[in-house]
Amino acid sequence: MDYDEENNSTVTEYSIDPKPILFSILLFVEIASILCSLIILIYFFFHWKSMINKALQNHVIFLLIIVSLLYTTLDLPFTLNSQRIGYDYPQTVSFCRWWYWIDWTLLVNSLYLTAIASIQRHILIFHNHLLQINRIRLKLYYIPLIFSIIYPATFYLITIYFYPCEMPTYDYVQYCPYPCYCDNLILYTIDYMINTVFPVVIIIIIANIILVCRVIHSMKKIRRNHFDIWKRQKKLTLQLLSISLLYIIGWGPVTVVSVIQMFFMPNIYDDIPDIYYVTFSIYFICTMQSFISLFALPELLSFIKKKLKQILSKETVTPVQTILPTR
């Protein structure tokens, strides 16, 4: 009997599911981020006078670390659990509303804090004398920071909890349905443009480009006897760029894809399913914030290096035993 291998053979395609890999990476980063955030906050607590009272540029870092810690402890564990079991839990409307509120509030908090820091860094570098006046410091520095904390929480509290509609139940879905206001195309577009596109593209990217150009231009005018000024400008600029690049890299691709979906290709996620994994970059923004902030604080890095040297030096020193002669 002849056996036709060509007709009876089957082709098996092997594909790797990236979700378990992303889950493992995100879980590791979450644990490390929490530890890093706690180290930074403890250092701030014991060095409050030098790190906060006398250093305005560290205020936004302090707030970003708090946002990062809240995100990794209150929000991200539910995301990881959903990736692990395949559905959101607990499956209640009240939980979904709270989860969307805390998630979107913290993400926009971090965006607005970075955007405001990008503008304020121009004042800290080139017009620092203005912040010596209490009235001006309140208007140009403290009120914008307070706004970046209160505004997102208030906006999403109103749109998620008080928009007149009823959220769908869990009868036929595995994941939390979007809040009702998202069905209003105008309101959803305004939300996305003001709370995501505007701070990412208009403020963070443009403000940082202008800042770099201004610093390079000022460096040409600064003489050698003003080395301290140049060193301070360099430190403040690199500190901001390290934080801003995280948000540009994390939010940039997602923002571009979302704008394409809203205005050009509404079914882009159906036509190109793999593009869905681009959205995973958002999960790493707040979690990576603590590591970026750690390297943006040279005082803390020096403190850690000093402590590590002391620990290592104690371990390498071995006690010398004195042997007494016997009679």
Side-chain angles (χ1 to χ4, degrees), residues 87 92 97 105 147 180 240 243 287:
Y87 57 91
T92 61
R97 283 177 173 169
T105 294
F147 170 81
C180 297
L240 175 64
I243 296 173
T287 51

Side-chain angles (χ1 to χ4, degrees), residues 25-73:
I25 296 174
L26 196 55
L27 178 61
F28 173 79
V29 174
E30 178 196 16
I31 297 173
S33 176
I34 293 174
L35 294 175
C36 188
S37 296
L38 291 175
I39 290 173
I40 295 174
L41 291 177
I42 292 172
Y43 183 81
F44 273 139
F45 178 78
F46 285 102
H47 300 81
W48 188 265
K49 187 174 181 180
S50 61
M51 296 299 294
I52 298 295
N53 291 348
K54 296 183 179 180
L56 291 177
Q57 69 272 13
N58 290 335
H59 290 185
V60 70
I61 295 180
F62 177 73
L63 292 174
L64 284 171
I65 289 300
I66 293 178
V67 171
S68 174
L69 185 61
L70 290 175
Y71 181 83
T72 52
T73 54

Side-chain angles (χ1 to χ4, degrees), residues 143-155:
I143 289 180
L145 291 179
I146 295 172
F147 170 81
S148 65
I149 296 296
I150 295 178
Y151 160 71
T154 305
F155 177 86

